[in-house]
Amino acid sequence: MILESLKQQLLLTPYLAIALTLSAFFLGNYLFQKMGRPTWCPGILLAALLVGLFLGLMQISYQEYQQGAAWLVALLGPATVALGVPLYQQMHHIRRLWRPILLTLPLAAMLAAFYSVFLAWLAGGSSVLLASLAAKSVTAPIAIGITEQLGGQIPLLMGGLLITGVMATLWVNLLCRALQITDHRVIGFALGINGHAIGTVRAFEISPTAGAFSSLGMGLTGVFTALLLPWAWNLLGLAVVA
Amino acid sequence: MSVIKGFLFLLGFLLLGDVLAALFNLPISAGVLGMLCLTFWLLVRGRMQEDLQAVAQPLIGLLALLIMPGVVGVFFVAGDYLDQWLAIFLALVIGTCLSVFTTLVLMSKLTPTASKQETAEDVQS
């Protein structure tokens, strides 16, 4: 009983949720280092598991946690804006490559959504599932907006985003080796288009150039998908009904 | 102090993005619009703003932390979607593989090979 009222007391302020998020983040990173930095299991996945486990054990609902964590997540806005800084610093690289960038981006961003929706549809995924996974390669703040428009589920989207980010870093790693691609501009761009913020975090580990191209790929994919996907979705929806 | 000043800059551009999105009814998030405006402003200015640089680097390092709370939600809805695991697996694992492959092939076919200096810069990591 005392524990229960103590829990209620602690949940009145966002501090418990924030402290929990930060501790899980550090612990997740620590475990990630201990495991030898495996690409298939990033620190963020471990951290999310730890938080989930804690919430389950303490019988705290996800909504209660989310309310507190929202204070931290609010920083996502300014952090997205901050990506303009590396973008500017690497502008000389980008300027030199404007042609391949403009040619690759629309097709790559469109296909990123198309492949997954098509495959899920083939396997008999429900319309809610399709709508939740369509924006899987788009950075979280934009993807949430798109998914709401399409009628998808936000928690499912966030899980999809995480797995997509992990898969993108994994596949970029494997395919670059297979195709013998070593150009950091190409690697970074592929990470940003397909792996959004998680790919971008990985790209900054590779080099500042890769990071800047990843930020660019992520930003452009977000803008492009936000503009086109809801529109394409309506067309597709009509086609299915007819 | 300069970190706080830089942060205020970021908030200014974020709000600008918000205003633009509302004015022109754009379906793009305020953050991305703010990012584009910030890049554009720096390009016009022609040089880096020190305060911005001081805050941008650590904040970008936090991206993974900021996404993490949202990810936790998936554990609470995962049960509802277990019967559709094949669709989810195909979409996320195979779909991402295909789109990464397409991007890499397109981009590397279209990109002129890096100059010697760039390659040297790239090799070190």
Side-chain angles (χ1 to χ4, degrees):
Chain A
M1 278 303 106
I2 288 183
L3 260 172
E4 185 58 29
S5 65
L6 193 64
K7 191 178 92 187
Q8 291 311 323
Q9 177 66 33
L10 284 174
L11 285 172
L12 286 178
T13 64
Y15 305 122
L16 177 67
I18 294 176
L20 174 61
T21 309
L22 293 176
S23 349
F25 181 69
F26 286 121
L27 193 55
N29 260 341
Y30 172 79
L31 291 174
F32 176 64
Q33 302 290 350
K34 278 278 157 197
M35 289 162 72
R37 311 173 61 85
T39 331
W40 53 270
C41 182
I44 164 175
L45 175 59
L46 293 168
L49 274 169
L50 288 170
V51 173
L53 210 65
F54 184 85
L55 296 181
L57 282 176
M58 297 306 291
Q59 308 238 308
I60 298 171
S61 75
Y62 177 62
Q63 281 71 24
E64 283 172 305
Y65 165 71
Q66 207 182 17
Q67 272 171 16
W71 290 81
L72 201 61
V73 175
L75 285 176
L76 203 53
T80 311
V81 177
L83 290 171
V85 169
L87 210 54
Y88 165 72
Q89 287 168 328
Q90 302 291 325
M91 198 46 83
H92 58 288
H93 282 307
I94 294 162
R95 219 174 249 163
R96 214 176 306 152
L97 289 182
W98 66 271
R99 208 196 302 257
I101 289 174
L102 277 191
L103 287 173
T104 308
L105 187 99
L107 199 59
M110 220 151 56
L111 285 174
F114 172 76
Y115 283 139
S116 61
V117 171
F118 181 67
L119 287 170
W121 176 75
L122 272 187
S126 68
S127 56
V128 175
L129 183 78
L130 298 189
S132 307
L133 297 183
K136 71 174 180 70
S137 285
V138 177
T139 179
I142 307 180
I144 292 170
I146 298 176
T147 305
E148 277 167 354
Q149 260 183 312
L150 302 184
Q153 270 222 333
I154 302 300
L156 192 57
L157 162 77
M158 293 304 280
L161 279 179
L162 173 74
I163 299 177
T164 303
V166 174
M167 283 299 138
T169 45
L170 200 72
W171 287 120
V172 166
N173 207 356
L174 288 173
L175 291 174
C176 279
R177 216 173 295 161
L179 299 169
Q180 298 186 322
I181 294 169
T182 50
D183 191 329
H184 284 200
R185 302 169 300 179
V186 176
I187 297 175
F189 205 57
L191 280 170
I193 289 181
N194 299 291
H196 54 93
I198 295 175
T200 303
V201 170
R202 169 77 193 121
F204 273 109
E205 285 172 13
I206 299 176
S207 73
T209 305
F213 271 83
S214 188
S215 310
L216 181 75
M218 176 175 86
L220 291 177
T221 303
V223 172
F224 185 82
T225 314
L227 289 173
L228 231 67
L229 191 60
W231 175 76
W233 200 258
N234 282 340
L235 280 185
L236 214 68
L238 283 177
V240 170
V241 172
Chain B
M1 217 38 191
S2 93
V3 170
I4 301 294
K5 238 187 254 173
F7 191 69
L8 184 58
F9 263 103
L10 293 180
L11 288 184
F13 278 101
L14 184 62
L15 291 172
L16 178 64
D18 234 341
V19 169
L20 289 176
L23 276 184
F24 299 101
N25 213 356
L26 298 169
I28 308 170
S29 78
V32 170
L33 281 173
M35 173 183 91
L36 296 173
C37 291
L38 173 67
T39 313
F40 183 71
W41 178 72
L42 286 170
L43 281 173
V44 171
R45 194 170 183 265
R47 64 200 154 84
M48 199 54 202
Q49 213 277 349
E50 307 298 318
D51 302 331
L52 266 176
Q53 202 166 13
V55 75
Q57 215 56 48
L59 206 48
I60 290 169
L62 286 181
L63 272 176
L65 169 70
L66 302 179
I67 301 168
M68 198 266 279
V71 173
V72 177
V74 79
F75 303 129
F76 293 84
V77 296
D80 303 345
Y81 292 94
L82 279 183
D83 52 332
Q84 304 189 45
W85 66 270
L86 182 66
I88 296 177
F89 173 83
L90 286 176
L92 298 181
V93 180
I94 307 303
T96 306
C97 174
L98 289 174
S99 69
V100 166
F101 181 76
T102 318
T103 316
L104 283 175
V105 169
L106 271 176
M107 192 67 187
S108 60
K109 282 272 181 297
L110 294 168
T111 304
T113 27
S115 68
K116 281 212 175 74
Q117 179 227 329
E118 276 162 347
T119 329
E121 184 184 308
D122 291 348
V123 159
Q124 38 115 16
S125 49

